């Protein structure tokens, strides 16, 4: 079946540090890939997505590239801010219209000033 | 515009009672989804609606769980004879056709 593996946290960084959160997946067919973010006390928000191989999703300074050859979708940001502190979830979408999301377990990021 | 809303935000119930959780999707979104978020299991898919039909109910954990959607809009998730292992945050999401779902704030269910 489908699965998503992302690096376990917690991850603690200083402001302006470089961020990478690794995500790899196992899936049949051609899934879409997503990163969701959950800020403290808030609901899940779609951060970025990529729908086919070699697509790059980007938003708010975050980027991730859909790598079919390595089945990966690593999240990166060049310079993190305190406001980026949150839990980040990698997910893949399967089924028609990629409706069914399979999530990784989440990575807690804390950014210190 | 208004996002996905869910009610109640918190629900505490006694073991063995039935509960109903409500979801109001974003207006015009044809697809609606229920997920469950718990410490032990992470985020799990429960059920998917396209319009009022549920082509995929594969994530419902037992026959105590059911869901319906009416008018292509509001959805209700019902849990009968609640058990302590049902304690979790129940999340609803909606979308138009295509990838990218928008989530509500969730209902935190505690079964005592």
């Amino acid at each position: 079946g489908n699965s998503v593996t992302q690096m376990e946290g917690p991850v603690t960084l200083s402001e302006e540090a470089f961020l990478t959160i690794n995500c790899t997946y196992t899936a049949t067919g051609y899934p879409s890939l997503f990163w969701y973010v959950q800020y403290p006390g808030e609901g899940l928000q779609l951060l970025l997505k990529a729908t086919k191989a070699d697509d790059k999703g980007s938003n708010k300074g975050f980027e991730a590239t859909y790598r079919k050859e390595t089945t990966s979708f690593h999240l990166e940001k060049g310079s993190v801010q305190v406001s980026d502190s949150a839990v980040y979830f990698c997910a893949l979408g399967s089924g028609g219209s990629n409706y069914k999301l399979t999530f990784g377990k989440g990575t807690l990021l804390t950014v210190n000033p | 515009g208004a996002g996905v809303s869910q009610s109640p935000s918190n629900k505490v119930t006694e073991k063995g009672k039935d509960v109903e959780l409500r979801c109001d999707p974003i207006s015009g979104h044809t697809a609606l989804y229920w997920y469950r978020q718990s410490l032990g299991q992470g985020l799990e898919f429960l059920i998917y609606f396209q319009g009022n039909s549920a082509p995929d109910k594969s994530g419902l954990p037992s026959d105590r769980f059911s869901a319906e959607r009416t008018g292509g809009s509001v959805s209700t998730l019902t849990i009968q004879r609640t058990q302590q292992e049902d304690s979790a945050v129940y999340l609803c999401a909606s979308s138009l056709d295509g990838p990218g779902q928008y989530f509500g704030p969730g209902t935190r269910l505690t079964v005592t």
Side-chain angles (χ1 to χ4, degrees), chain A residues 34 36 38 49 99-101, chain B residues 33 35 37 56 58 99 101:
Chain A
F34 307 87
Y36 280 83
Q38 190 169 32
K49 66 184 180 187
Y99 68 86
K100 186 171 184 176
L101 293 179
Chain B
Y33 319 79
Y35 293 84
Q37 186 175 23
D56 189 343
S58 63
Q101 299 172 18

Side-chain angles (χ1 to χ4, degrees), chain B residues 81-102:
Chain B
R81 304 181 303 281
T82 51
Q83 304 294 313
Q84 287 188 328
E85 62 263 28
D86 300 334
S87 296
V89 177
Y90 288 83
L91 296 170
C92 177
S94 69
S95 72
L96 292 169
D97 279 342
Q101 299 172 18
Y102 296 86

